[in-house]
Amino acid sequence: MVKKSEQPKRGIVESPHDCRPVAGGVVDYAIWMLGSDGRVINWNKGAERITGYPAKAILGQHFSVFYPAEDRASGVPERALQMARKEKHSAAEGWSVRKDGSQFYAAVVIDPIYEKRKLVGYTMVTRDITERHQARADLEASESQFRLLVSNVTDYALYMLTPAGIVANWNAGGERIKGYSPGEIIGQHFSRFYTPADQAAGKPAHALKIAEETGHYVEEGWRVRKDGSFFWASVVIHPIRDTDGSLVGFAKITRDISERRDAHQKLEQVQRQLAESQKMDALGQLTGGVAHDFNNLLMIISGNLHRIKREVTSERGTLALAAIETASERAASLTRQLLTFARRQVNPQTISVADRIAAVREVLTSALGGAIKLNMEIGPDLWPIFVDPTEFETALINLVVNARDAMTCGGTLTVAARNVPEAAQVVVSITDTGEGIPDDVMNKVFDPFFTTKPIGKGTGLGLSQVHGFAHQADGRVEITSALGKGTTVSIYLPRGTAAAKRTATGHSTPGLATILLIEDNPAVADASTGLLEQLGYTVRWAPNAEAALSEIDANGIDVVFSDIVMPGRIDGLKLARTIRDRKPELPILLTTGYSASARDVRSDFPVLRKPYHIHDLSRELAKLTGHGVGSAKSGPSGNASSEFDAAAHDVAARPKAKARS
């Protein structure tokens, strides 16, 4: 019996004899004994199976035979025994050699054996863990490759957070996107990537909470770089848990998608512009479709008013006729504004921007009143532009009216014009110091009939006329505004390259001149005939192009006055060109309430718009025949135009309002 004081210490084998029958039958472990000199003194079946040595071939051999040559050369076997003696236990893993020279990865445990406190040998237990070692090596290689991959990814910021949100590691993508080196950011809280507003709202902590509770957090939003600049980020956060389900941290992926966001916004803007263009075109088609017939009706009304005036003498009748005339002029003005918005009116001429602005300055000054100061900033040597002069003046008046209405407490209005050499354009700008335009209204200001003014205070056609005029003239209109600071509307118009062709040819005076009136609508023809006869002309009527050519071939025609829209294969413009080819000296005046063909007229022929008044007709015919204008009425710039007169009247009479039309 072993005394208590003599009981072996932990890890010391005093007598292995009782264990031999058990060890001898074990086949999964190589269990053998070594003498004190390290030679094998017994052998089990497991050792034979694992190493390939039978007992008779290995007994008496030094155990270093199981070590690779390089380990033997470096003294690994001796150090293992020394460790066992010193620490009473030695455990190691490494490569071992079988009898056939092949190697296997082994887990080796060596314990010293003592008898009466004297070292008599060692027990050695060896297990083949090659498969486990290979699996572990594969895992380590995979993890190393993954770490290498993550650390070198530059398009994504990939990093780990502790449960508290502290940055635990950092990759090259994080440094590229956010500007921090690993030494600067590891150990810092990830909330520094958020904007101050998001930090104050507790957004970082909220993101981690959602990720922990739902297993996933996805967001797009503004993030902050090291230098303080912002970028638009796509963020994904996943919780990381151990095998017990305990939270050990978070995986965070951040990508800079600022360019994609910008591209998406530009695409949305293009789509909005396309939708706006389609809407404008649809409105233009609708407007143009009814304008011709509507203007013919107005022509009949206004034309016959001149006949009735000579027959009605009572005061009440005269007042009624005046009301009818005013209403027809207003209707004609609204129709023309719609047509301008729809880009369906063309009567261009080469004009001087400075002269036209100077011509309406007095009207603008009177419209603004004493509370608003008018500044003129007209650049030197302004280029001419090729536009419809009346539409240009109307657009200018509409912009001034809207600017005035935005300055309810007074202010400064600036009319500026300058050349834009890089675009070969002239820009005319109206700038006010008024209330500005809200963002939700900005994209509607050019819509026809859109207005924020009280009922009866605006038609909603002012800015739509400006928009249509600019695009009809192959230009564009831009508007910028800041709430409380004011608004600037700029019209960019191409530099003029063509001159209007007007000829005065000294033909016979009224009373002796014969005009061929070409009009398919009998009622309109009757009204126009009445106006021409009042001016002293002899009128011959043709309902279509074929009849007109027959009349011209018969001679006796001094002037041709033709509608553009006519039934048949030949419209008024084609007819005019045919007549010019046959008789170049014959003056031709065209008229229309609306026609797409009028856009092709340009400056080849003068065009009189329906519904026209007797003074308009007199003026245009006088230009062609050389006869004096007589009673013709002229507007501020010398051009007679009921539309401009109506617009100028609106400027003077329209009450101030807070919003724009």
Side-chain angles (χ1 to χ4, degrees):
M1 183 174 179
V2 180
K3 294 181 180 180
K4 183 175 182 181
S5 61
E6 297 176 348
Q7 291 203 2
K9 297 179 181 180
R10 183 178 178 183
I12 299 176
V13 179
E14 287 288 346
S15 178
H17 302 289
D18 293 337
C19 300
R20 289 176 184 174
V22 177
V26 174
V27 295
D28 290 333
Y29 291 82
I31 304 174
W32 67 85
M33 292 183 64
L34 305 177
S36 59
D37 59 357
R39 295 183 181 276
V40 180
I41 59 177
N42 64 40
W43 199 244
N44 79 330
K45 292 182 179 180
E48 183 175 346
R49 185 187 69 79
I50 292 173
T51 67
Y53 287 97
K56 63 181 180 179
I58 195 62
L59 292 176
Q61 299 290 324
H62 196 275
F63 86 109
S64 62
V65 71
F66 305 122
Y67 286 78
E70 59 270 22
D71 287 351
R72 293 199 303 270
S74 61
V76 172
E78 290 76 11
R79 286 198 298 273
L81 296 181
Q82 184 182 6
M83 178 66 69
R85 291 194 302 272
K86 182 179 179 180
E87 302 293 338
K88 307 302 186 281
H89 183 74
S90 174
E93 292 183 1
W95 291 104
S96 292
V97 182
R98 295 187 179 94
K99 180 183 178 184
D100 60 7
S102 63
Q103 293 188 6
F104 66 97
Y105 204 80
V108 179
V109 176
I110 302 176
D111 288 303
I113 302 172
Y114 290 91
E115 286 186 355
K116 296 181 180 182
R117 297 184 180 277
K118 180 182 179 181
L119 179 69
V120 296
Y122 304 89
T123 60
M124 189 169 180
V125 180
T126 300
R127 185 157 53 100
D128 184 354
I129 60 170
T130 304
E131 291 184 359
R132 189 181 75 180
H133 172 73
Q134 186 61 46
R136 186 170 60 192
D138 291 343
L139 177 61
E140 289 177 352
S142 176
E143 290 177 346
S144 176
Q145 291 176 350
F146 180 74
R147 285 193 296 270
L148 184 65
L149 171 66
V150 169
S151 64
N152 286 279
V153 169
T154 58
D155 289 336
Y156 293 80
L158 306 173
Y159 54 95
M160 303 280 295
L161 302 176
T162 67
I166 303 299
V167 178
N169 54 43
W170 197 243
N171 78 326
E175 184 169 357
R176 186 190 69 82
I177 293 173
K178 300 187 179 184
Y180 293 96
S181 67
E184 292 173 319
I185 196 61
I186 293 176
Q188 302 295 320
H189 198 274
F190 86 111
S191 61
R192 67 168 49 201
F193 305 135
Y194 286 75
T195 65
D198 287 346
Q199 292 180 21
K203 199 169 185 179
H206 182 65
L208 295 184
K209 182 179 180 181
I210 292 177
E212 182 180 359
E213 293 177 350
T214 66
H216 191 63
Y217 178 79
V218 179
E219 182 209 7
E220 289 187 5
W222 291 111
R223 292 295 184 271
V224 184
R225 297 186 179 93
K226 177 185 174 181
D227 61 7
S229 62
F230 284 25
F231 68 98
W232 190 257
S234 170
V235 177
V236 179
I237 303 177
H238 286 281
I240 301 174
R241 301 182 184 277
D242 59 17
T243 55
D244 296 331
S246 300
L247 181 70
V248 296
F250 299 91
K252 193 167 185 292
I253 304 173
T254 302
R255 184 158 55 106
D256 183 353
I257 58 171
S258 301
E259 292 184 0
R260 189 184 75 180
R261 179 176 181 265
D262 292 343
H264 181 68
Q265 289 179 334
K266 289 178 181 178
L267 177 60
E268 288 183 338
Q269 181 180 6
V270 170
Q271 290 174 336
R272 287 194 299 269
Q273 290 174 343
L274 176 60
E276 187 72 12
S277 176
Q278 290 173 337
K279 179 182 70 175
M280 298 294 189
D281 287 343
L283 287 170
Q285 292 292 337
L286 176 63
T287 303
V290 301
H292 177 262
D293 290 341
F294 187 67
N295 279 330
N296 273 344
L297 295 175
L298 291 174
M299 186 68 241
I300 295 170
I301 295 171
S302 62
N304 283 290
L305 280 173
H306 292 279
R307 290 180 175 175
I308 301 174
K309 281 181 180 179
R310 294 184 297 178
E311 300 180 8
V312 174
T313 57
S314 67
E315 182 179 355
R316 294 185 62 184
T318 301
L319 291 175
L321 288 176
I324 295 172
E325 185 174 20
T326 300
S328 66
E329 288 178 355
R330 186 60 177 159
S333 176
L334 290 174
T335 305
R336 286 184 177 124
Q337 285 183 305
L338 280 172
L339 285 172
T340 302
F341 160 77
R343 310 176 204 175
R344 295 297 195 270
Q345 292 278 35
V346 179
N347 188 23
Q349 301 175 26
T350 298
I351 66 170
S352 166
V353 175
D355 290 348
R356 292 290 165 164
I357 294 176
V360 297
R361 179 167 185 165
E362 184 178 349
V363 176
L364 301 181
T365 303
S366 64
L368 293 176
I372 298 176
K373 178 183 177 182
L374 176 63
N375 283 341
M376 291 287 187
E377 297 179 359
I378 310 302
D381 302 322
L382 279 179
W383 295 326
I385 56 176
F386 191 61
V387 297
D388 185 307
T390 302
E391 295 298 343
F392 174 77
E393 293 172 352
T394 303
L396 190 62
I397 290 173
N398 282 328
L399 290 177
V400 169
V401 168
N402 277 277
R404 179 203 67 186
D405 292 345
M407 295 185 286
T408 55
C409 298
T412 300
L413 185 145
T414 302
V415 178
R418 60 181 176 85
N419 295 331
V420 185
E422 60 272 17
Q425 293 178 321
V426 177
V427 58
V428 179
S429 302
I430 306 296
T431 302
D432 65 62
T433 56
E435 301 172 353
I437 304 174
D439 291 339
D440 59 338
V441 175
M442 182 72 80
N443 61 349
K444 302 177 183 179
V445 294
F446 293 119
D447 289 359
F449 301 113
F450 174 79
T451 180
T452 56
K453 295 179 181 179
I455 296 175
K457 300 300 182 182
T459 63
L461 290 174
L463 290 180
S464 67
Q465 182 272 336
V466 175
H467 179 277
F469 160 71
H471 286 79
Q472 181 175 263
D474 295 327
R476 71 182 192 279
V477 59
E478 294 182 354
I479 182 168
T480 58
S481 185
L483 289 177
K485 296 183 179 180
T487 300
T488 297
V489 182
S490 301
I491 307 176
Y492 290 81
L493 300 168
R495 181 179 183 176
T497 56
K501 298 177 183 177
R502 298 288 194 198
T503 59
T505 60
H507 278 264
S508 302
T509 60
L512 299 177
T514 299
I515 291 182
L516 176 61
L517 174 63
I518 308 165
E519 172 62 62
D520 62 290
N521 188 313
V524 175
D526 182 63
S528 299
T529 298
L531 295 177
L532 290 169
E533 288 176 345
Q534 287 185 58
L535 292 173
Y537 293 97
T538 301
V539 181
R540 287 159 63 177
W541 173 53
N544 52 55
E546 290 76 9
L549 291 174
S550 297
E551 290 286 345
I552 290 171
D553 289 340
N555 291 321
I557 301 299
D558 299 304
V559 181
V560 173
F561 182 33
S562 175
D563 189 13
I564 292 179
V565 178
M566 289 191 298
R569 295 181 296 104
I570 304 177
D571 63 9
L573 180 57
K574 291 181 180 178
L575 173 62
R577 288 173 176 163
T578 301
I579 294 172
R580 174 158 290 177
D581 290 340
R582 294 185 183 183
K583 295 188 175 184
E585 76 287 351
L586 186 59
I588 300 172
L589 175 63
L590 298 178
T591 184
T592 185
Y594 156 72
S595 173
S597 299
R599 288 175 291 179
D600 300 326
V601 175
R602 305 302 289 176
S603 58
D604 296 342
F605 304 97
V607 178
L608 182 62
R609 298 176 182 176
K610 293 180 181 178
Y612 47 81
H613 296 269
I614 192 169
H615 57 266
D616 300 322
L617 183 58
S618 174
R619 182 192 68 246
E620 294 301 324
L621 289 174
K623 290 179 181 179
L624 293 174
T625 63
H627 180 68
V629 174
S631 62
K633 176 184 176 183
S634 61
S637 62
N639 286 338
S641 169
S642 61
E643 177 184 357
F644 182 82
D645 294 340
H649 179 269
D650 284 347
V651 169
R654 190 180 304 177
K656 294 184 179 181
K658 291 185 178 180
R660 299 174 179 269
S661 63

